[in-house]
Amino acid sequence: MKFSIQRDRLIQSVQDVMKAISSRTTIPILTGIKIVATNEGVAFTGSDSDVSIESFIPKEEDGNELVEIFAPGAIVLQAKFFSEIVKKLPMDFVEIEVINHLQTVIRSGKSEFNLNGLDPEEYPHLPQISEENVFKIPTDIVKNLIRQTVFAVSTSETRPILTGVNWKVESDRLTCIATDSHRLAMRSAAIDFVNEAKYNIVIPGKSLNELNKILDDTNEPVEIVITENQILFRAKHLLFFSRLLEGNYPDTSRLIPTESKTDIVINTKEFLQAIDRASLLAREGRNPNVVKFSTLTSGIIEISSNTPEVGKVVEQVQSQSIEGEDLKISFSAKYMMDALKALEGLEIRISFTGAMRPFIIRPINDESILQLILPVRTY
Amino acid sequence: MKFSIQRDRLIQSVQDVMKAISSRTTIPILTGIKIVATNEGVAFTGSDSDVSIESFIPKEEDGNELVEIFAPGAIVLQAKFFSEIVKKLPMDFVEIEVINHLQTVIRSGKSEFNLNGLDPEEYPHLPQISEENVFKIPTDIVKNLIRQTVFAVSTSETRPILTGVNWKVESDRLTCIATDSHRLAMRSAAIDFVNEAKYNIVIPGKSLNELNKILDDTNEPVEIVITENQILFRAKHLLFFSRLLEGNYPDTSRLIPTESKTDIVINTKEFLQAIDRASLLAREGRNPNVVKFSTLTSGIIEISSNTPEVGKVVEQVQSQSIEGEDLKISFSAKYMMDALKALEGLEIRISFTGAMRPFIIRPINDESILQLILPVRTY
């Protein structure tokens, strides 16, 4: 194997596939990046066996030569060292050559590294995924779907299925749901699907976080293929595979109240900042981070908290409207801030059905997104 | 006490005095920020008893009203909470009022915090320092003096005196020296001094690092006063006190070689980057982070390192000139990179007196700065 490659593209590809590589793996070959040079270009692969990422650099793009192949071939190089080295190389192009079985030379200007490679034959194969049942979503929508739901997954392994995000595909619509049983985030989007297949899968939250970091902010489509136990995201020059979580995701539809007793419309940013300040003194013993919320007259909302040894805080926010019953309720400031940051739009509507029932937060005039929070008993 | 104060200046002052406050203090009052309002403005003080910082906000500056005093007075507020609160307040001005003994109200717009203050009478007094023997150095030079020496202090407490920087004042010149006994950094500068006093003191490295963060990049003078066991730096609206280290700093002048056997002139940046890359594989057992350096023909320098299980690296750099004997020597890549980053100028001169003797690095044509490194035995 011998090729010359543009350094900045090499750095980007290595950085992308590094996101799949774990320093804690027990499989030695997976500490490496697999490099495969063909006459079409060079493919880089990283994997922790749950997530596998392949980034491809073509020989040429938009008339620029990115790679010159002198001899096709393959090698696996230790990811930690290889990624540090490529970042610091002096010239715009880098030559990589396997000289003697697995001995690999990396040259750039007057800099020459000689690394002990690993046998590429030992590297596990990526899943083979059939090309049927492909559906497409613009990249920016995929990123929003992830961002607006994944924060609500459970971080506890007591119910492993809740560490993933439930993706349901039905009638040309994708609905994403995450819950840690104290709050729930839901977002749906139209998809471009040629087929009538239905899916109900659970994708690890960790995989979606990594995918979100790698995807560019474009409106180019991402192709998505779902199989029995894998999902594949295919973007330009990028393959992202994730294992699916096994088990049935709970039916969350009955958790969501369909009627409300108090409806509040409020400016998102003002409300978020008031909650953020109130959370500074929300450190009371049994319920850390819980703030009290109550409706006053003239559309004013009061948010307060108290840490006896330190002090207390009272915030008032003028809402657009309060409809229905007066209300006193307590909830986690963190959950509320997470939900508000995930929502789009200048104003939100919060619909309560009493102080002890879950309440929902939505943007005004947008049914595709919903955040639900369970209150805390303090009043 | 009651005053109204411009929020952004308040945030800046609180952030500055926070640099003196340690969360690990055993003196409860020192977890607080002391606030003193007088008819001239408001002074904020933080201290960990080694370092004390006072930041003053005057009533008015450049025609802008910064503070309005309604009633003079003093209070101590818990630094951790107070600093988080002021950063998040909604309006441009903040009102702070002591209402009931030590109860303090912080108001900004519709936000109201009520904090339990501490008794300002219990706060230790700042050292009283006489105004004799003041000398002046422009702020940017003070910052350079610190930056170019403090990194070389010892981080080990086995010889506590070496955790400080030795400042010597003699004949209108200040010389700063730091060493951890493996390398040494020295920088001197002219000072503006009306007096003939001599000083030889040791300032804790930690204090100088904090001072460097607080000082602005201006060429306004910093006034410096040295006493028996304290040093005071006075900049605009800022007082910075540090305790001095007790004990005698070793005489380092005899460590510095006065003759050389091999002299190399080389581009600073190219040399630094080559060392940086060579350090990536410098992980050999007994001498981690050590690279080998040797002179080749035609003014070429070779830098190499080797980690047996991973691989090796060879870097070549074209020097401007090599004069004197051929040389093979090994040294810590980290010490060399620290030294090179501290130096100014496009080119440096390295003067060696053999493979086992300390060598010195200086900018070309600048006698005011010197870096010294002890080699490591590997050849």
Side-chain angles (χ1 to χ4, degrees):
Chain A
M1 185 188 84
K2 183 175 181 182
F3 62 87
S4 166
I5 193 161
Q6 212 243 311
R7 186 194 53 190
D8 291 347
R9 285 296 287 261
L10 172 62
I11 292 171
Q12 184 61 53
S13 282
V14 168
Q15 201 173 301
D16 282 352
V17 305
M18 282 294 283
K19 296 208 162 57
I21 296 174
S22 162
S23 55
R24 284 168 301 176
T25 181
T26 52
I27 307 167
I29 192 88
L30 293 186
T31 61
I33 291 178
K34 186 184 185 189
I35 305 173
V36 179
T38 62
N39 286 323
E40 282 70 49
V42 183
F44 298 86
T45 308
S47 177
D48 68 356
S49 75
D50 284 346
V51 168
S52 301
I53 302 173
E54 181 184 305
S55 175
F56 182 74
I57 304 181
K59 282 179 70 171
E60 204 186 287
E61 191 174 70
D62 305 331
N64 296 317
E65 186 175 48
L66 303 178
V67 184
E68 189 178 357
I69 305 287
F70 303 112
I75 191 73
V76 175
L77 296 178
Q78 286 193 34
K80 195 180 75 177
F81 291 96
F82 183 59
S83 65
E84 284 183 36
I85 289 166
V86 296
K87 267 187 276 184
K88 293 186 170 171
L89 290 174
M91 310 300 279
D92 289 343
F93 272 81
V94 178
E95 194 178 279
I96 300 182
E97 180 180 7
V98 178
I99 49 166
N100 181 7
H101 188 43
L102 302 172
Q103 282 292 316
T104 306
V105 178
I106 303 168
R107 276 185 214 96
S108 182
K110 291 283 175 69
S111 174
E112 183 172 304
F113 285 83
N114 215 304
L115 294 185
N116 306 330
L118 301 166
D119 186 354
E121 295 298 321
E122 286 178 20
Y123 199 88
H125 290 285
L126 293 183
Q128 294 300 308
I129 284 188
S130 89
E131 295 300 298
E132 297 162 41
N133 296 339
V134 176
F135 62 94
K136 293 182 189 177
I137 315 179
T139 309
D140 48 358
I141 308 244
V142 174
K143 287 175 76 82
N144 274 337
L145 285 166
I146 296 172
R147 185 181 66 81
Q148 293 174 329
T149 54
V150 74
F151 66 88
V153 300
S154 172
T155 52
S156 147
E157 285 293 333
T158 47
R159 286 182 72 190
I161 197 80
L162 296 187
T163 64
V165 181
N166 183 207
W167 280 33
K168 288 194 283 199
V169 176
E170 201 168 330
S171 318
D172 298 353
R173 197 148 190 97
L174 166 64
T175 304
C176 307
I177 299 165
T179 181
D180 60 6
S181 76
H182 303 290
R183 40 110 173 242
L184 176 147
M186 182 165 81
R187 164 78 204 263
S188 66
I191 56 176
D192 182 4
F193 203 11
V194 292
N195 192 292
E196 281 304 306
K198 288 187 184 181
Y199 295 103
N200 187 337
I201 58 167
V202 185
I203 310 171
K206 190 169 153 288
S207 303
L208 291 171
N209 278 322
E210 296 304 337
L211 175 64
N212 198 27
K213 286 183 209 155
I214 293 180
L215 292 176
D216 290 329
D217 272 312
T218 69
N219 53 13
E220 296 284 309
V222 177
E223 293 182 357
I224 300 174
V225 188
I226 296 171
T227 69
E228 187 69 19
N229 53 14
Q230 290 277 340
I231 184 166
L232 164 62
F233 297 87
R234 183 163 44 211
K236 196 181 177 192
H237 302 319
L238 186 81
L239 300 178
F240 185 102
F241 297 84
S242 171
R243 181 179 62 84
L244 299 177
L245 291 180
E246 283 174 37
N248 292 318
Y249 201 80
D251 177 16
T252 54
S253 58
R254 63 197 165 69
L255 287 178
I256 298 162
T258 48
E259 45 173 21
S260 67
K261 291 183 180 166
T262 311
D263 273 277
I264 291 163
V265 175
I266 198 164
N267 178 286
T268 316
K269 195 175 157 195
E270 282 178 27
F271 186 52
L272 173 61
Q273 291 177 342
I275 299 275
D276 192 10
R277 285 190 296 271
S279 76
L280 293 175
L281 298 184
R283 312 206 175 174
E284 264 183 294
R286 218 162 47 87
N287 287 313
N289 207 34
V290 168
V291 294
K292 295 183 177 188
F293 172 108
S294 54
T295 54
L296 304 186
T297 52
S298 316
I300 292 173
I301 304 296
E302 187 174 280
I303 303 140
S304 63
S305 78
N306 181 12
T307 304
E309 58 289 11
V310 181
K312 63 185 181 184
V313 46
V314 177
E315 294 280 336
Q316 292 192 347
V317 185
Q318 179 67 53
S319 68
Q320 289 298 316
S321 65
I322 304 179
E323 285 170 16
E325 300 174 2
D326 281 349
L327 180 76
K328 285 181 188 292
I329 192 169
S330 297
F331 50 77
S332 155
K334 178 178 186 303
Y335 290 170
M336 180 57 88
M337 287 193 281
D338 285 348
L340 294 173
K341 285 175 193 164
L343 293 173
E344 285 153 0
L346 287 175
E347 292 194 325
I348 47 147
R349 178 189 305 277
I350 315 180
S351 303
F352 297 94
T353 31
M356 293 318 301
R357 305 289 301 279
F359 57 91
I360 60 179
I361 312 154
R362 287 180 187 272
I364 303 290
N365 304 324
D366 182 354
E367 293 289 307
S368 75
I369 178 162
L370 174 149
Q371 303 284 341
L372 175 145
I373 296 173
L374 268 73
V376 175
R377 190 189 298 264
T378 63
Y379 276 107
Chain B
M1 186 188 85
K2 182 175 179 182
F3 61 86
S4 165
I5 193 162
Q6 212 241 313
R7 186 194 52 189
D8 291 347
R9 284 296 285 262
L10 173 62
I11 293 172
Q12 185 61 53
S13 283
V14 169
Q15 200 173 301
D16 283 352
V17 304
M18 281 293 284
K19 297 208 161 57
I21 296 174
S22 163
S23 55
R24 285 167 301 177
T25 180
T26 52
I27 307 166
I29 193 88
L30 292 186
T31 61
I33 291 177
K34 186 183 185 191
I35 305 173
V36 179
T38 62
N39 286 323
E40 283 71 50
V42 183
F44 299 86
T45 308
S47 177
D48 68 354
S49 76
D50 284 345
V51 168
S52 302
I53 302 173
E54 180 184 304
S55 175
F56 182 73
I57 303 181
K59 281 178 72 171
E60 203 186 286
E61 192 175 69
D62 304 332
N64 296 317
E65 187 175 47
L66 302 178
V67 183
E68 190 177 356
I69 306 285
F70 303 112
I75 191 73
V76 175
L77 296 178
Q78 287 193 34
K80 195 180 75 175
F81 291 96
F82 184 58
S83 64
E84 284 182 36
I85 289 166
V86 296
K87 267 187 275 183
K88 293 186 170 171
L89 290 173
M91 309 302 278
D92 289 343
F93 272 82
V94 178
E95 194 178 279
I96 300 181
E97 180 180 8
V98 178
I99 47 166
N100 181 4
H101 189 43
L102 302 171
Q103 282 292 316
T104 306
V105 179
I106 303 167
R107 278 185 213 96
S108 181
K110 292 282 175 70
S111 174
E112 184 172 304
F113 285 82
N114 215 304
L115 294 185
N116 306 330
L118 302 165
D119 186 354
E121 295 298 320
E122 286 178 22
Y123 199 88
H125 290 287
L126 293 183
Q128 294 301 309
I129 285 189
S130 89
E131 296 299 299
E132 297 162 40
N133 296 340
V134 175
F135 61 95
K136 292 182 188 177
I137 315 178
T139 309
D140 47 358
I141 308 244
V142 174
K143 288 176 74 81
N144 274 338
L145 286 166
I146 295 172
R147 185 181 66 80
Q148 294 173 329
T149 53
V150 73
F151 67 88
V153 299
S154 171
T155 53
S156 147
E157 286 292 335
T158 46
R159 287 182 71 191
I161 198 80
L162 296 187
T163 63
V165 181
N166 183 207
W167 281 32
K168 288 193 283 199
V169 176
E170 201 168 329
S171 318
D172 298 353
R173 197 149 189 94
L174 166 65
T175 303
C176 307
I177 299 165
T179 180
D180 61 5
S181 76
H182 302 289
R183 40 114 173 239
L184 177 147
M186 183 166 82
R187 166 75 205 263
S188 66
I191 56 176
D192 182 4
F193 202 10
V194 291
N195 193 293
E196 282 302 307
K198 287 185 184 183
Y199 295 103
N200 188 338
I201 58 168
V202 186
I203 310 171
K206 190 169 153 288
S207 303
L208 291 171
N209 277 321
E210 296 305 338
L211 175 64
N212 198 27
K213 285 182 209 155
I214 293 179
L215 290 177
D216 290 331
D217 273 311
T218 68
N219 52 14
E220 296 285 308
V222 177
E223 293 181 359
I224 300 174
V225 188
I226 296 170
T227 70
E228 187 70 19
N229 53 13
Q230 289 276 341
I231 185 166
L232 163 63
F233 298 87
R234 184 163 45 212
K236 195 179 177 194
H237 302 320
L238 186 80
L239 299 179
F240 185 103
F241 296 85
S242 172
R243 180 179 61 85
L244 299 177
L245 291 180
E246 283 174 36
N248 291 319
Y249 201 81
D251 176 15
T252 54
S253 59
R254 62 196 167 72
L255 287 177
I256 298 162
T258 48
E259 45 173 20
S260 67
K261 291 184 179 164
T262 311
D263 274 277
I264 292 164
V265 175
I266 198 164
N267 178 285
T268 316
K269 194 175 158 196
E270 283 178 27
F271 186 51
L272 174 60
Q273 291 177 342
I275 299 274
D276 192 10
R277 285 191 294 271
S279 76
L280 293 175
L281 298 185
R283 312 205 175 175
E284 266 183 295
R286 218 163 46 85
N287 287 312
N289 207 35
V290 169
V291 295
K292 296 183 176 187
F293 171 107
S294 54
T295 53
L296 305 186
T297 51
S298 315
I300 293 172
I301 304 295
E302 188 175 278
I303 302 140
S304 63
S305 78
N306 180 11
T307 304
E309 54 294 8
V310 180
K312 63 185 182 188
V313 48
V314 178
E315 294 280 335
Q316 292 192 347
V317 185
Q318 179 67 53
S319 69
Q320 290 297 315
S321 66
I322 304 180
E323 284 168 18
E325 299 175 2
D326 281 348
L327 180 76
K328 285 180 187 293
I329 193 169
S330 296
F331 50 78
S332 155
K334 178 178 186 303
Y335 290 169
M336 180 57 87
M337 287 194 281
D338 285 348
L340 294 173
K341 285 175 193 163
L343 293 173
E344 284 154 358
L346 286 176
E347 291 194 327
I348 47 146
R349 178 189 305 275
I350 315 181
S351 304
F352 297 93
T353 30
M356 293 318 302
R357 304 289 301 280
F359 57 92
I360 59 179
I361 312 156
R362 287 180 187 271
I364 302 290
N365 303 325
D366 181 354
E367 293 289 306
S368 75
I369 178 162
L370 173 149
Q371 303 285 341
L372 175 145
I373 296 173
L374 268 72
V376 175
R377 190 189 298 264
T378 63
Y379 276 108

